[in-house]
Short mmCIF file of all heavy atoms in Angstrom, two decimals:
data_model
loop_
_atom_site.label_atom_id
_atom_site.label_comp_id
_atom_site.label_asym_id
_atom_site.label_seq_id
_atom_site.Cartn_x
_atom_site.Cartn_y
_atom_site.Cartn_z
N PRO A 1479 0.80 -1.23 0.00
CA PRO A 1479 0.00 0.00 0.00
C PRO A 1479 0.83 1.27 0.00
O PRO A 1479 0.35 2.32 -0.43
CB PRO A 1479 -0.83 -0.12 1.28
CG PRO A 1479 -0.07 -1.06 2.15
CD PRO A 1479 0.61 -2.03 1.22
N GLU A 1480 2.05 1.20 0.48
CA GLU A 1480 2.95 2.35 0.50
C GLU A 1480 4.27 1.98 -0.18
O GLU A 1480 4.68 0.81 -0.14
CB GLU A 1480 3.24 2.80 1.95
CG GLU A 1480 2.00 3.17 2.75
CD GLU A 1480 1.33 4.44 2.24
OE1 GLU A 1480 2.02 5.23 1.55
OE2 GLU A 1480 0.14 4.63 2.52
N PRO A 1481 4.94 2.93 -0.81
CA PRO A 1481 6.23 2.61 -1.43
C PRO A 1481 7.27 2.27 -0.38
O PRO A 1481 7.29 2.85 0.72
CB PRO A 1481 6.59 3.89 -2.18
CG PRO A 1481 5.87 4.98 -1.45
CD PRO A 1481 4.58 4.37 -0.97
N ALA A 1482 8.11 1.32 -0.69
CA ALA A 1482 9.17 0.90 0.24
C ALA A 1482 10.38 1.80 0.02
O ALA A 1482 11.28 1.49 -0.76
CB ALA A 1482 9.53 -0.56 0.02
N VAL A 1483 10.42 2.92 0.72
CA VAL A 1483 11.50 3.89 0.51
C VAL A 1483 12.52 3.87 1.65
O VAL A 1483 13.66 4.29 1.45
CB VAL A 1483 10.92 5.32 0.34
CG1 VAL A 1483 10.11 5.40 -0.95
CG2 VAL A 1483 10.05 5.71 1.53
N THR A 1484 12.13 3.41 2.81
CA THR A 1484 13.07 3.35 3.93
C THR A 1484 13.71 1.96 3.99
O THR A 1484 13.16 0.98 3.48
CB THR A 1484 12.36 3.64 5.26
OG1 THR A 1484 11.45 2.57 5.56
CG2 THR A 1484 11.59 4.96 5.19
N GLU A 1485 14.85 1.88 4.63
CA GLU A 1485 15.50 0.59 4.78
C GLU A 1485 14.66 -0.37 5.60
O GLU A 1485 14.62 -1.57 5.33
CB GLU A 1485 16.88 0.78 5.44
CG GLU A 1485 17.90 1.48 4.54
CD GLU A 1485 18.09 0.73 3.22
OE1 GLU A 1485 18.21 -0.51 3.26
OE2 GLU A 1485 18.11 1.39 2.18
N SER A 1486 13.95 0.16 6.60
CA SER A 1486 13.09 -0.68 7.42
C SER A 1486 11.97 -1.28 6.58
O SER A 1486 11.65 -2.48 6.70
CB SER A 1486 12.49 0.16 8.56
OG SER A 1486 11.57 -0.61 9.31
N ALA A 1487 11.35 -0.47 5.72
CA ALA A 1487 10.26 -0.97 4.86
C ALA A 1487 10.79 -1.99 3.87
O ALA A 1487 10.14 -3.01 3.61
CB ALA A 1487 9.60 0.19 4.13
N LYS A 1488 11.96 -1.74 3.32
CA LYS A 1488 12.54 -2.69 2.37
C LYS A 1488 12.81 -4.03 3.04
O LYS A 1488 12.56 -5.09 2.46
CB LYS A 1488 13.82 -2.11 1.77
CG LYS A 1488 13.58 -0.91 0.86
CD LYS A 1488 14.91 -0.31 0.38
CE LYS A 1488 14.67 0.92 -0.48
NZ LYS A 1488 15.95 1.54 -0.91
N ARG A 1489 13.33 -3.99 4.26
CA ARG A 1489 13.59 -5.24 4.99
C ARG A 1489 12.28 -5.97 5.28
O ARG A 1489 12.19 -7.20 5.15
CB ARG A 1489 14.33 -4.96 6.29
CG ARG A 1489 15.81 -4.65 6.14
CD ARG A 1489 16.53 -4.74 7.48
NE ARG A 1489 15.96 -3.83 8.46
CZ ARG A 1489 16.36 -2.57 8.62
NH1 ARG A 1489 17.33 -2.08 7.87
NH2 ARG A 1489 15.80 -1.80 9.54
N HIS A 1490 11.27 -5.21 5.69
CA HIS A 1490 9.98 -5.81 6.03
C HIS A 1490 9.38 -6.54 4.84
O HIS A 1490 9.00 -7.71 4.95
CB HIS A 1490 9.01 -4.73 6.51
CG HIS A 1490 7.62 -5.22 6.76
ND1 HIS A 1490 7.29 -5.97 7.87
CD2 HIS A 1490 6.47 -5.08 6.04
CE1 HIS A 1490 6.00 -6.28 7.83
NE2 HIS A 1490 5.48 -5.76 6.73
N TRP A 1491 9.33 -5.87 3.69
CA TRP A 1491 8.69 -6.51 2.53
C TRP A 1491 9.58 -7.57 1.91
O TRP A 1491 9.07 -8.56 1.37
CB TRP A 1491 8.29 -5.44 1.51
CG TRP A 1491 7.24 -4.51 2.03
CD1 TRP A 1491 7.32 -3.16 2.16
CD2 TRP A 1491 5.94 -4.88 2.53
NE1 TRP A 1491 6.17 -2.65 2.70
CE2 TRP A 1491 5.31 -3.68 2.93
CE3 TRP A 1491 5.27 -6.09 2.68
CZ2 TRP A 1491 4.02 -3.67 3.46
CZ3 TRP A 1491 3.99 -6.08 3.21
CH2 TRP A 1491 3.37 -4.89 3.60
N SER A 1492 10.88 -7.42 2.03
CA SER A 1492 11.79 -8.49 1.58
C SER A 1492 11.58 -9.75 2.41
O SER A 1492 11.60 -10.86 1.87
CB SER A 1492 13.24 -8.03 1.66
OG SER A 1492 13.51 -7.00 0.73
N ASN A 1493 11.37 -9.58 3.70
CA ASN A 1493 11.11 -10.73 4.56
C ASN A 1493 9.79 -11.40 4.20
O ASN A 1493 9.67 -12.63 4.25
CB ASN A 1493 11.11 -10.31 6.03
CG ASN A 1493 12.51 -10.00 6.55
OD1 ASN A 1493 13.50 -10.49 6.01
ND2 ASN A 1493 12.60 -9.18 7.59
N ASN A 1494 8.78 -10.59 3.86
CA ASN A 1494 7.51 -11.15 3.44
C ASN A 1494 7.67 -11.96 2.16
O ASN A 1494 7.13 -13.07 2.04
CB ASN A 1494 6.48 -10.03 3.23
CG ASN A 1494 5.74 -9.68 4.50
OD1 ASN A 1494 4.67 -10.21 4.79
ND2 ASN A 1494 6.30 -8.76 5.26
N MET A 1495 8.40 -11.42 1.20
CA MET A 1495 8.63 -12.16 -0.04
C MET A 1495 9.44 -13.42 0.23
O MET A 1495 9.16 -14.49 -0.33
CB MET A 1495 9.35 -11.26 -1.05
CG MET A 1495 9.66 -11.94 -2.38
SD MET A 1495 8.18 -12.42 -3.30
CE MET A 1495 7.99 -10.99 -4.39
N ARG A 1496 10.42 -13.33 1.10
CA ARG A 1496 11.26 -14.48 1.43
C ARG A 1496 10.42 -15.59 2.08
O ARG A 1496 10.57 -16.77 1.75
CB ARG A 1496 12.38 -14.05 2.36
CG ARG A 1496 13.45 -15.13 2.59
CD ARG A 1496 14.57 -14.61 3.46
NE ARG A 1496 15.23 -13.45 2.86
CZ ARG A 1496 15.16 -12.21 3.34
NH1 ARG A 1496 14.50 -11.97 4.46
NH2 ARG A 1496 15.77 -11.22 2.74
N LEU A 1497 9.50 -15.22 2.98
CA LEU A 1497 8.65 -16.20 3.62
C LEU A 1497 7.72 -16.87 2.61
O LEU A 1497 7.52 -18.09 2.63
CB LEU A 1497 7.82 -15.55 4.73
CG LEU A 1497 6.78 -16.45 5.41
CD1 LEU A 1497 7.44 -17.63 6.09
CD2 LEU A 1497 5.96 -15.63 6.42
N THR A 1498 7.17 -16.08 1.70
CA THR A 1498 6.28 -16.62 0.68
C THR A 1498 7.01 -17.64 -0.19
O THR A 1498 6.51 -18.75 -0.44
CB THR A 1498 5.71 -15.50 -0.19
OG1 THR A 1498 4.95 -14.59 0.62
CG2 THR A 1498 4.81 -16.05 -1.29
N ILE A 1499 8.19 -17.27 -0.65
CA ILE A 1499 8.94 -18.17 -1.53
C ILE A 1499 9.40 -19.40 -0.78
O ILE A 1499 9.37 -20.52 -1.30
CB ILE A 1499 10.12 -17.41 -2.17
CG1 ILE A 1499 9.57 -16.34 -3.14
CG2 ILE A 1499 11.05 -18.37 -2.90
CD1 ILE A 1499 10.64 -15.49 -3.78
N ALA A 1500 9.82 -19.23 0.47
CA ALA A 1500 10.22 -20.40 1.27
C ALA A 1500 9.06 -21.36 1.46
O ALA A 1500 9.24 -22.59 1.45
CB ALA A 1500 10.74 -19.94 2.63
N THR A 1501 7.86 -20.82 1.60
CA THR A 1501 6.67 -21.66 1.80
C THR A 1501 6.36 -22.48 0.55
O THR A 1501 6.16 -23.69 0.62
CB THR A 1501 5.46 -20.80 2.19
OG1 THR A 1501 5.76 -20.07 3.38
CG2 THR A 1501 4.24 -21.66 2.43
N VAL A 1502 6.32 -21.81 -0.60
CA VAL A 1502 5.92 -22.53 -1.82
C VAL A 1502 7.05 -23.38 -2.38
O VAL A 1502 6.81 -24.51 -2.84
CB VAL A 1502 5.39 -21.56 -2.89
CG1 VAL A 1502 4.14 -20.84 -2.39
CG2 VAL A 1502 6.44 -20.54 -3.34
N GLU A 1503 8.28 -22.88 -2.33
CA GLU A 1503 9.39 -23.63 -2.92
C GLU A 1503 9.86 -24.75 -1.99
O GLU A 1503 10.33 -25.79 -2.47
CB GLU A 1503 10.55 -22.70 -3.26
CG GLU A 1503 10.27 -21.80 -4.45
CD GLU A 1503 11.56 -21.33 -5.12
OE1 GLU A 1503 12.52 -20.99 -4.39
OE2 GLU A 1503 11.59 -21.32 -6.36
N GLY A 1504 9.76 -24.55 -0.70
CA GLY A 1504 10.23 -25.57 0.23
C GLY A 1504 9.17 -26.56 0.63
O GLY A 1504 9.49 -27.66 1.12
N GLU A 1505 7.88 -26.20 0.43
CA GLU A 1505 6.81 -27.04 0.94
C GLU A 1505 5.73 -27.34 -0.11
O GLU A 1505 5.51 -28.50 -0.48
CB GLU A 1505 6.20 -26.36 2.18
CG GLU A 1505 7.23 -26.19 3.29
CD GLU A 1505 6.80 -25.23 4.39
OE1 GLU A 1505 5.81 -24.50 4.21
OE2 GLU A 1505 7.48 -25.20 5.43
N ASP A 1506 5.05 -26.33 -0.62
CA ASP A 1506 3.91 -26.57 -1.52
C ASP A 1506 4.29 -27.25 -2.83
O ASP A 1506 3.77 -28.32 -3.16
CB ASP A 1506 3.22 -25.24 -1.84
CG ASP A 1506 2.37 -24.73 -0.69
OD1 ASP A 1506 1.51 -25.49 -0.22
OD2 ASP A 1506 2.57 -23.58 -0.28
N PHE A 1507 5.16 -26.62 -3.58
CA PHE A 1507 5.38 -27.09 -4.95
C PHE A 1507 6.16 -28.40 -5.04
O PHE A 1507 5.92 -29.19 -5.96
CB PHE A 1507 6.05 -25.98 -5.78
CG PHE A 1507 5.17 -24.76 -5.94
CD1 PHE A 1507 5.73 -23.52 -6.19
CD2 PHE A 1507 3.79 -24.85 -5.85
CE1 PHE A 1507 4.93 -22.39 -6.34
CE2 PHE A 1507 2.98 -23.73 -5.98
CZ PHE A 1507 3.55 -22.49 -6.24
#
């Protein structure tokens, strides 16, 4: 909903993407 312009926001959304990929690549698929 907001642009990731701060380092904190970038880390937060990177962690979300990392969790998503870990879930599907390590478990679902």
Side-chain angles (χ1 to χ4, degrees):
E1480 302 292 339
V1483 294
T1484 67
E1485 291 303 315
S1486 176
K1488 292 175 182 178
R1489 284 195 302 271
H1490 175 75
W1491 295 121
S1492 293
N1493 287 336
N1494 273 268
M1495 179 64 95
R1496 189 177 300 112
L1497 175 61
T1498 299
I1499 292 177
T1501 302
V1502 297
E1503 289 204 318
E1505 299 165 348
D1506 284 306
F1507 296 155

